[in-house]
Amino acid sequence: MSEPNNIPVDFIREIIAEDLRSGRHARIQTRFPPEPNGYLHIGHAKSICLNFGIAKEFGGICNVRMDDTNPVKEEIEYVESIMADVRWLIGGWAEQNLGVKPASREGRGPSPFYASDYFERLYQYAVALIEKGKAYVCDMTAEETDEYRRAGRSSLFRERSIPENLDLFARMRAGEFADGARTLRAKIDMTAPNVWLRDPLLYRIRHAEHHQTGDRWCIYPMYDWAHTLSDYIEAITHSLCTLEFEVHRPLYEWILDALELPGPRPRQIEFARLNLDYTVMSKRKLIQLVNDGLVKGWDDPRMLTISGLKRRGVTASALRSFAAAIGVTKFPSLHEMTLLEHTVRQEFNPSAARRLAVLRPIKVALINYPADRVESLRAINNPEDADAGTREVPFGQILWIDEADFMEAPPPKYFRLRPGGEVRLKYAYIIRCDEVIKDEDGKVVELRCTVDLESKSGGATAQRKVKGTIHWVSAAHAQDAEVRLYDRLFNVAEPDADGNFKDHINRHSLEVVTAKCEPALSDARPEERYQFERLGYFALDPETTSARQVWNRTVTLKDTWAKAVKR
Ligand code: ATP
Ligand code: MG
C-alpha cells in the first residue's frame, strides 16, 4: 500500500524549515500529548500524523507524553490503548521517530513520558515563581474566582507576601487543606483583554489517587502550567496544538518569560482541528456512547476511534493517506466522511483480492444443468493487478444469488434478474428465470432458471450479450460466514449541532447477515483486505474462529450497485 509520494507542504512545515535554516533550532523535537481519559479518535490521528510526519521528514523525534494532570478522569487502560493505537498508526512508517522513555516498564513495551514525571520539577518552578513575586495562594472559591476573573476584579488575596505564599503553598502540598480550599494563581493582569491572563490558576487541591503517582500528591498542576513546562523540560522545539489553544499562547509565553528560562524555548503553533460529518469527535462524547451502551465498546467498528477504524478494516496506511489528503491549515472546516471512504477505496482497490460472496441469499436451481456436474471456472483475482493471477471457482446446479439481484416487477433500467428475463452469472453462463417459487407468506424462496450452455464466459460460443451481470456462489461449495454491514452511526451530518447528539443515533447502523462465501475465502487472512465483488471491501473481525468467519464491511463500493444492495 502506497504512501503519498509528495512530502506535504503547509504553513507549519514552512516555519520549521525556516527555523532550521536560520539556525534557531539545530534539531526538531515535537510531541503528541494526549490526556489518558479515553481512547484516541480520528482527530488524534491527524495530530499524530502531523507530529510524527514532521519528525520523520526533518529527522527529529516526536515524544508521546501523557497529559495526566487530572487524576479523577484518567486510567491506566487508556494509557495502554493510546500507546497501542499510536504504535499501530506509525508502524512501518515513523517508528524510528517515536520518543519514549528508555526503560520499558515491566516489559510492557515502550513507556510514554508523563507530565506526572515532572510533578516535582513543576512544583519547584512554582516555588521559583512565588519567590519572584509572580504567583500567590488564593483562598477564594471556584465560583468567586470565575466571577472575579470575568469582571476583571483582583482577588482579595493578591497582595499576600512572598513568605506567606511560600508557607501556604508548602502546606497545600503537605495536605493541610481540603479540596477547593485554596489555589495557586499566576499574578499577571486582571484587566487583560485575554481572560487567560487574568491571574490563571496554576495549582488546585485534589485529594485523589493518581494512576502514576499514587497518593504522593494532593495538589495537581493545571493544564497550562504542566503543558508549557513539560514542553520545555523535554526540549520540544515546536509545540503543535489545535486552534482553541491560540488564546492560551500568551500564557504559554508568559510562563517561559516569567521563569526567565534559558533558550532554546519551545514555540506553540496552532492548526485547525479535524471535524468530520456524521460523527462526534471528543473523548467526552465518545465515552457516553460507550457507557450508555449505544455502541459495543471503544473499538466498535462504527466508532471513529483509531481502534474502531482498525477493527473495521481501515489500515494505518489509509488513515495516513487521509491525514495527508485533508492537510493542515489555520481554517476551521468540516470534512466529509465520503472523503475518508474514498481514500480507503483508493487504497484498497489496487491490492484487494476479489472474491464472490452472497449476503442475502436466494436459491437458484438450473433446471437443464446436470445435478451431479461440477465445473471449475476461472476467476480473476484482481483486474487492477495482473500479477494477482486467477483462481478456480466451482459451479453447480444449485446456486445462491443476492436477493437484491432479483425483482418480480422491476422499474425501468433494471438489468438484473426478473421473471422471463436473462442475466449473466459472472465468469459463468447466461441464465433465464422461468419460474418463481414462493412460500406461504409470498416470500421468494427459489428461482428456477434455464442456463444457456452455449454462453460460457471465455468459451468459443460466448458471443451473446445481455445487459446485466451478477455474482453467485455454488450452494454445494458455499461456506457460511457472519457479515457485519455498517452504516453511519448518526442520522444527521452534525449530530451535536443542537447539543443532543445521542438523539440522532441511527438505529440501523449495524446489520448482521449470514453470507454464502466461495471456497477460496476459507484461506482469508486477517491482515489482508478483500473486495467481495459488487459489495465492498471487507476485513476479518478478531471474533473470527476456526469454525466461523466474521467479516466487517470496511466500506461499500462506490458504484450504484453497491447502493442498491445496501438499500
Ligand atoms: P478530546 O476532546 O477528544 O478529549 P482533546 O484535544 O481534549 O480532545 P487530548 O487528549 O488533549 O484531547 O489531545 C491530544 C492532542 O490531540 C492535542 O494536541 C490535541 O490538540 C490533538 N487533537 C485532539 N482532537 C483533535 C482533532 N479533532 N484534530 C486534530 N488534533 C486533535
Ligand atoms: Mg481534553
Side-chain angles (χ1 to χ4, degrees):
M1 292 179 191
S2 64
E3 288 299 327
N5 292 327
N6 302 328
I7 302 273
V9 180
D10 54 58
F11 75 101
I12 296 180
R13 287 169 163 94
E14 278 171 13
I15 292 172
I16 291 175
E18 181 51 33
D19 283 349
L20 283 171
R21 232 186 340 263
S22 70
R24 180 182 162 145
H25 292 293
R27 42 167 283 289
I28 296 303
Q29 174 77 56
T30 57
R31 86 289 171 267
F32 173 65
E35 184 183 353
N37 62 348
Y39 282 55
L40 298 181
H41 51 66
I42 191 169
H44 296 112
K46 172 177 177 171
S47 178
I48 294 168
C49 290
L50 176 65
N51 281 292
F52 279 91
I54 285 172
K56 182 177 166 68
E57 290 151 34
F58 294 94
I61 291 291
C62 175
N63 285 358
V64 175
R65 181 203 309 143
M66 299 297 151
D67 173 23
D68 58 344
T69 53
N70 184 355
V72 185
K73 290 202 173 144
E74 298 163 4
E75 285 173 30
I76 200 77
E77 175 197 348
Y78 299 138
V79 173
E80 282 164 8
S81 73
I82 288 169
M83 282 312 282
D85 288 347
V86 169
R87 294 181 69 205
W88 174 76
L89 188 53
I90 67 169
W93 175 64
E95 283 169 275
Q96 64 283 3
N97 306 93
L98 171 65
V100 287
K101 283 195 271 193
S104 104
R105 300 175 331 141
E106 296 114 48
R108 274 208 242 110
S111 168
F113 295 95
Y114 292 86
S116 57
D117 291 341
Y118 314 129
F119 278 176
E120 183 60 40
R121 287 174 78 178
L122 300 185
Y123 177 84
Q124 295 305 335
Y125 279 130
V127 169
L129 199 66
I130 295 171
E131 282 167 348
K132 289 172 188 289
K134 291 177 185 168
Y136 59 95
V137 173
C138 179
D139 302 357
M140 295 199 307
T141 63
E143 295 74 37
E144 284 168 341
T145 308
D146 280 354
E147 191 189 316
Y148 274 53
R149 287 183 76 194
R150 266 198 304 274
R153 280 172 64 193
S154 292
S155 159
L156 310 174
F157 305 94
R158 199 171 200 261
E159 301 311 327
R160 266 186 170 143
S161 69
I162 291 173
E164 190 185 0
N165 281 321
L166 287 171
D167 173 60
L168 286 171
F169 190 49
R171 288 164 60 195
M172 276 169 68
R173 175 182 184 165
E176 284 189 29
F177 311 119
D179 284 7
R182 292 194 155 95
T183 58
L184 183 74
R185 295 177 63 180
K187 192 171 183 177
I188 310 181
D189 179 2
M190 284 313 292
T191 60
N194 180 345
V195 240
W196 289 102
L197 294 179
R198 296 184 186 174
D199 291 11
L201 267 56
L202 302 181
Y203 273 90
R204 58 182 171 169
I205 303 174
R206 270 271 192 293
H207 290 269
E209 186 91 2
H210 186 287
H211 55 98
Q212 299 300 318
T213 57
D215 57 6
R216 271 202 285 138
W217 292 90
C218 63
I219 56 171
Y220 289 95
M222 302 299 289
Y223 169 82
D224 293 286
W225 186 251
H227 187 251
T228 307
L229 291 169
S230 300
D231 279 353
Y232 180 76
I233 291 167
E234 291 177 13
I236 302 301
T237 56
H238 298 84
S239 180
L240 313 177
C241 58
T242 38
L243 283 180
E244 63 276 20
F245 292 100
E246 196 162 12
V247 286
H248 294 241
R249 183 167 12 107
L251 179 54
Y252 190 96
E253 283 164 6
W254 183 88
I255 291 170
L256 298 172
D257 285 342
L259 289 169
E260 298 169 79
L261 296 173
R265 288 183 185 171
R267 167 173 179 190
Q268 175 177 315
I269 306 171
E270 308 86 19
F271 63 96
R273 63 193 296 117
L274 169 64
N275 296 305
L276 255 195
D277 61 6
Y278 293 96
T279 190
V280 290
M281 189 84 84
S282 150
K283 288 179 254 144
R284 194 172 54 74
K285 291 171 197 160
L286 295 171
I287 201 170
Q288 294 178 50
L289 297 174
V290 175
N291 290 345
D292 294 3
L294 296 167
V295 293
K296 290 182 183 163
W298 284 101
D299 70 345
D300 186 306
R302 292 166 295 181
M303 293 274 271
L304 274 284
T305 50
I306 294 182
S307 51
L309 289 159
K310 174 183 172 200
R311 183 160 183 186
R312 182 150 168 167
V314 175
T315 52
S317 153
L319 265 187
R320 297 197 298 263
S321 297
F322 175 68
I326 57 176
V328 178
T329 70
K330 276 258 182 208
F331 313 105
S333 62
L334 181 65
H335 282 282
E336 291 178 14
M337 188 80 85
T338 50
L339 177 63
L340 175 62
E341 292 165 351
H342 171 77
T343 311
V344 173
R345 286 186 198 105
Q346 295 267 101
E347 190 87 9
F348 292 173
N349 184 38
S351 54
R354 274 54 170 173
R355 294 290 183 260
L356 300 177
V358 170
L359 298 183
R360 300 175 187 88
I362 347 181
K363 185 171 161 187
V364 166
L366 302 176
I367 48 185
N368 61 332
Y369 195 89
D372 55 357
R373 183 160 158 201
V374 175
E375 279 182 88
S376 192
L377 305 179
R378 180 147 297 192
I380 295 168
N381 281 331
N382 186 349
E384 304 288 322
D385 176 9
D387 294 343
T390 59
R391 69 187 185 285
E392 300 293 311
V393 182
F395 183 88
Q397 188 203 26
I398 309 294
L399 309 170
W400 300 113
I401 66 163
D402 239 306
E403 235 171 61
D405 287 333
F406 173 77
M407 275 181 105
E408 272 200 288
K413 303 223 167 150
Y414 181 87
F415 299 124
R416 290 165 276 166
L417 201 56
R418 68 174 83 194
E422 285 188 319
V423 78
R424 175 171 288 284
L425 298 176
K426 189 151 191 191
Y427 305 118
Y429 299 95
I430 294 173
I431 58 167
R432 186 186 66 227
C433 176
D434 296 331
E435 196 185 341
V436 180
I437 300 184
K438 298 181 183 173
D439 62 13
E440 306 97 75
D441 304 327
K443 185 175 167 1
V444 176
V445 289
E446 181 177 333
L447 304 174
R448 298 180 68 80
C449 300
T450 310
V451 54
D452 173 0
L453 292 163
E454 302 281 278
S455 66
K456 185 170 172 180
S457 294
T461 53
Q463 294 84 348
R464 207 158 71 81
K465 288 212 162 32
V466 290
K467 282 215 163 132
T469 300
I470 64 172
H471 65 279
W472 52 274
V473 172
S474 161
H477 306 90
Q479 43 169 343
D480 284 359
E482 177 175 332
V483 177
R484 299 174 181 170
L485 306 167
Y486 302 104
D487 199 351
R488 313 256 150 105
L489 187 54
F490 294 97
N491 287 319
V492 295
E494 294 184 61
D496 205 35
D498 61 0
N500 296 317
F501 66 97
K502 285 186 276 182
D503 294 348
H504 305 293
I505 294 273
N506 174 9
R507 302 278 160 196
H508 308 288
S509 56
L510 169 62
E511 185 185 0
V512 181
V513 297
T514 300
K516 304 287 182 186
C517 298
E518 68 160 291
L521 276 170
S522 58
D523 301 333
R525 291 184 299 148
E527 63 278 15
E528 294 290 332
R529 299 295 170 263
Y530 298 86
Q531 185 193 102
F532 292 1
E533 291 206 33
R534 302 175 62 230
L535 300 172
Y537 293 99
F538 291 76
L540 280 174
D541 188 85
E543 284 176 6
T544 293
T545 62
S546 53
R548 187 175 173 82
Q549 289 182 332
V550 179
W551 290 93
N552 292 311
R553 177 154 65 188
T554 312
V555 67
T556 57
L557 292 180
K558 205 181 179 176
D559 62 44
T560 49
W561 289 136
K563 282 201 188 105
V565 173
K566 199 176 156 201
R567 293 185 299 198

